[in-house]
Every structure is written in C-alpha cells, then in structure tokens.
Amino acid sequence: MADQGTYTIATLGSHSALQILKGAHDEGFGTLAIANRDTKALYRSFGFVDEVIAIERYQDFPALMPQLEKRKLIIVPHGSFVAYLSLDEHKRMTIPYFGNKAVLDWEASRELQRQWLSRAGLTLPRQFERSGEIDRPVIVKLYGAQGGKGYMFIRDSADFEARAAHLKEEHIIQEYIVGVPLYIHYFYSPLENRLEIMSMDRRYETNVDSLGRIPAAAQEGMDVQPSYVVVGNSPVSLRESMLAEAYRMGEAVVRVSKEICGPKGLFGAFCIETIITPDMQFFVMEISARIVAGTNLFIDGSPYSYLHYSEPMSTGRRIARELKNAISSNKLGMVLDDG
Ligand code: ATP
C-alpha cells in the first residue's frame, strides 16, 4: 500500500466535505466524515466515504478530539468547520491540520484582513467610519453575516440616517462598487513554490441579480431594496487578458502572508472575492484562507485545472495531491499545522 493509504483525511460533514473526501479517496487516502444525526445517512450513501462518525451537534466536535488524536488522521478544514468551532478551539486542536492556523487571526478580523490586502497592493473599496463621511453609495455589512444576509444598499448619508443609523449589530460601511462579482479560487503549493488558479465562480444573489429584470422606471415607487442573499454559484471563465492580474493578486497575497503569519504564510486553497468595474479594475472585498463552497462547481475539474493537470482536479483533490506529495517526499511538516 502506498504511504498515503495509511493516512485518513477527515472533515466535518458540510460545505465542501464531499469534494474534499472524493479528492482524498481518488488520491489513495482513507476518508472519514464527521456527520450529525441529520447528515450521517447522506455521507454514508457515498462509496468514497470509508467511515462516518456521527455526533449530536457539530459544535460538539472538540469532545471527539481525544479519540481522533490517537489515529493517523489529517483534518482538512472548510468554511463551515471554521464557523462551527471557535478560533481558540481551532488553535487548540492538535490533530494534524492542513493549513497554517496563524492565518486565522489575520482572516477573522476585518481590520487585520484590510491591512494584509492593502499591504499586498490590492485595491479595496473605501471604508467610512461615520455617516457624515458618506459621499457616495455604500453597502452596510453586518459582522458575522454569512452569505450576504442582512446587507443593505445605502444611497447617501441621508438614506443612512433613515435606515441604518439605528443598527445595533456591529457593521462596516463600505463604498458600493458597481461591477461584476468574481470569486477567484487559488491553490498555493509550498512544496512546488507555485501558485495555481484553480477555478472561478460568481454568486447568484437574490434579489440584486434579478432587479435588472424590471425596468428602472417600473421600479419607481415599488420600494424594492436590493438584497445580497446567496442562492447559488455559477462558473465563470475570465477574459484571458485579465488573468495575469488575477494571478498577480494571488501571488501578492501569498507573499505578504509570509511576512505577517510566519514563514509558512498562507498555503493550500484560498479565494479572493472581487468586484470588477467597467475599467477592468479588481476591487477586493475579502479573502477566504481555505477551500470555498464555490469550488463545488468543479468537482470534475475546471477549464483552468484541466490546463494544469489534464485530468479531473478539484480543489479538494488538489489538497489531497499536495498531502500525497508531501508524504512521499517526507515533507509533511511543510503543509501541516499540529497545534
Ligand atoms: P461569505 O462570507 O459567504 O463570503 P459574506 O457575508 O462575507 O459572504 P460578502 O462576500 O462580503 O458577504 O458580500 C456578499 C455580497 O454583497 C457580494 O457577493 C456582493 O454582491 C455584495 N457586496 C459586498 N461588498 C460589496 C461592495 N463593496 N460593493 C458592492 N457589492 C458588494
């Protein structure tokens, strides 16, 4: 049996777990889904999932750790994994973990994230501290909102006073960028010291993506406000003339991460969320430092991953490939954080 066959890749049953475990299986690893009462039957139904452990609630995962620590496991985290566990629980986890946990602090704080992205030379939407400063349309974003829930489009400072000034929840006020939202999925391999563009998607949001179906004149008086709740993702291929800039942005983010989060920096899968304006400027809204759900569109690979691999290569499988290469070259320490 190849070396990777003695390891099991484990993740929490949600988000992109199917992609991660399918990729792990295709690369020769054992696979474990940690599911709950509602999801265990689903994960058991897939042949590539070797084992399912069901817990009551995903938040109970830390109680399972002593049992998991005894095994030859590697955890691959995803967005829901991070959401269900606190930052501290994450850091306390001593099961080998694909990724650099030092990145979590820089990602979790909107302020630190802004510093990171600005230092990488990326263009960010302006941020306003108080309503008096608002001199253009803005979007008010609630902290911790997921999938755009509760975001508000605000025309000007008077509109802010009328509709948002009373908000109790923590929020930020950000310049509204009119353009196409594009989410770029990258993979940085520390073993090969190479950045790859894996795929891209745009989100489909209700109702902002459907307002154009009603002429502006007909909307007058209807009192419809745009909302940004995500209902799906669609694949995109970017104009090739814009790819070099997308690549440069990814490189810059990785380079700066090595200055701020220790020498390992950011590695593995990550996503830069952008909005592209008519003059082809990428405005960066956010970075996610791990596999994002938009990659689920590409379980069978994307046009970009095909260019690299000539075989189906999802981001989940790319993670497993990196782990496999690390095992065979005795460099697992380069891609794991073990607490
Ligand atoms: P997730 O954590 O799932 O990525 P989120 O809650 O962090 O989502 P964002 O990605 O920040 O949400 O934004 C959700 C949507 O809001 C975007 O897809 C975009 O349509 C809109 N949006 C966010 N920021 C801006 C902006 N500055 N200008 C215009 N639209 C924006």
Side-chain angles (χ1 to χ4, degrees):
M1 189 189 276
D3 276 354
Q4 74 272 20
T6 66
Y7 284 87
T8 294
I9 288 189
T11 196
L12 216 55
S14 182
H15 192 269
S16 46
L18 289 171
Q19 184 196 156
I20 291 168
L21 298 179
K22 171 80 167 86
H25 172 83
D26 289 347
E27 293 298 310
F29 288 92
T31 57
L32 163 65
I34 295 136
N36 62 23
R37 238 194 340 220
D38 298 331
T39 60
K40 63 185 179 196
L42 172 78
Y43 288 95
R44 285 199 177 114
S45 76
F46 288 97
F48 57 84
V49 180
D50 299 325
E51 189 185 351
V52 174
I53 298 179
I55 53 180
E56 193 57 25
R57 301 170 322 139
Y58 284 144
Q59 288 84 343
D60 299 336
F61 177 77
L64 200 63
M65 283 194 221
Q67 175 187 338
L68 298 182
E69 274 161 11
K70 297 197 186 98
R71 300 180 46 175
K72 222 168 154 185
L73 279 189
I74 298 171
I75 294 273
V76 173
H78 50 59
S80 302
F81 208 128
V82 175
Y84 284 120
L85 263 66
S86 70
L87 214 58
D88 275 350
E89 283 169 333
H90 237 82
K91 288 186 188 161
R92 278 202 300 270
M93 184 161 46
T94 50
I95 309 166
Y97 175 101
F98 179 76
N100 176 1
K101 291 182 196 164
V103 175
L104 287 168
D105 290 318
W106 284 84
E107 185 197 19
S109 145
R110 287 202 193 255
E111 193 37 53
L112 290 179
Q113 211 186 93
R114 256 184 107 76
Q115 283 180 30
W116 175 9
L117 299 173
S118 321
R119 217 161 127 174
L122 308 190
T123 309
L124 310 182
R126 251 192 81 177
Q127 216 138 278
F128 299 93
E129 294 309 320
R130 55 192 76 78
S131 75
E133 293 171 8
I134 298 174
D135 60 356
R136 64 193 76 188
V138 293
I139 183 165
V140 171
K141 301 182 172 190
L142 305 185
Y143 271 73
Q146 290 239 310
K149 224 170 140 202
Y151 285 11
M152 290 164 97
F153 172 81
I154 301 281
R155 264 183 105 94
D156 51 30
S157 62
D159 193 19
F160 184 89
E161 286 303 324
R163 293 171 49 230
H166 65 278
L167 275 177
K168 295 268 182 298
E169 298 98 324
E170 258 196 295
H171 59 272
I172 51 168
I173 311 167
Q174 195 172 80
E175 172 184 12
Y176 193 89
I177 309 296
V178 182
V180 171
L182 181 81
Y183 291 58
I184 310 166
H185 318 142
Y186 301 87
F187 188 92
Y188 173 66
S189 161
L191 295 176
E192 292 167 42
N193 186 19
R194 188 175 75 179
L195 178 74
E196 295 159 22
I197 288 183
M198 295 299 295
S199 47
M200 292 171 203
D201 76 292
R202 63 159 300 184
R203 309 206 308 194
Y204 200 51
E205 296 167 348
T206 185
N207 59 14
V208 69
D209 288 323
S210 54
L211 288 179
R213 301 173 65 189
I214 307 171
Q219 286 182 37
E220 254 189 63
M222 270 176 65
D223 193 28
V224 185
Q225 297 296 335
S227 57
Y228 300 87
V229 177
V230 183
V231 288
N233 307 71
S234 29
V236 180
S237 73
L238 186 63
R239 272 174 73 167
E240 191 148 327
S241 58
M242 298 171 73
L243 266 185
E245 177 60 8
Y247 192 78
R248 195 196 60 75
M249 291 194 304
E251 282 186 313
V253 161
V254 170
R255 177 172 35 78
V256 173
S257 76
K258 290 180 180 171
E259 296 163 15
I260 61 178
C261 318
K264 278 189 183 175
L266 169 69
F267 62 83
F270 67 99
C271 171
I272 301 183
E273 306 182 358
T274 72
I275 298 185
I276 309 171
T277 53
D279 54 358
M280 305 287 153
Q281 172 79 53
F282 289 85
F283 279 84
V284 173
M285 290 181 289
E286 213 171 280
I287 180 165
S288 296
R290 70 194 59 69
I291 185 167
V292 293
T295 60
N296 284 338
L297 286 167
F298 306 102
I299 289 183
D300 203 27
S302 82
Y304 298 106
S305 72
Y306 186 76
L307 293 170
H308 282 299
Y309 294 97
S310 303
E311 64 177 323
M313 184 60 67
S314 68
T315 292
R317 185 170 182 180
R318 182 65 189 82
I319 292 170
R321 176 73 56 95
E322 190 76 359
L323 284 164
K324 182 165 101 177
N325 292 341
I327 291 166
S328 65
S329 56
N330 226 352
K331 290 182 180 154
L332 251 189
M334 277 179 84
V335 293
L336 295 182
D337 194 324
D338 36 24

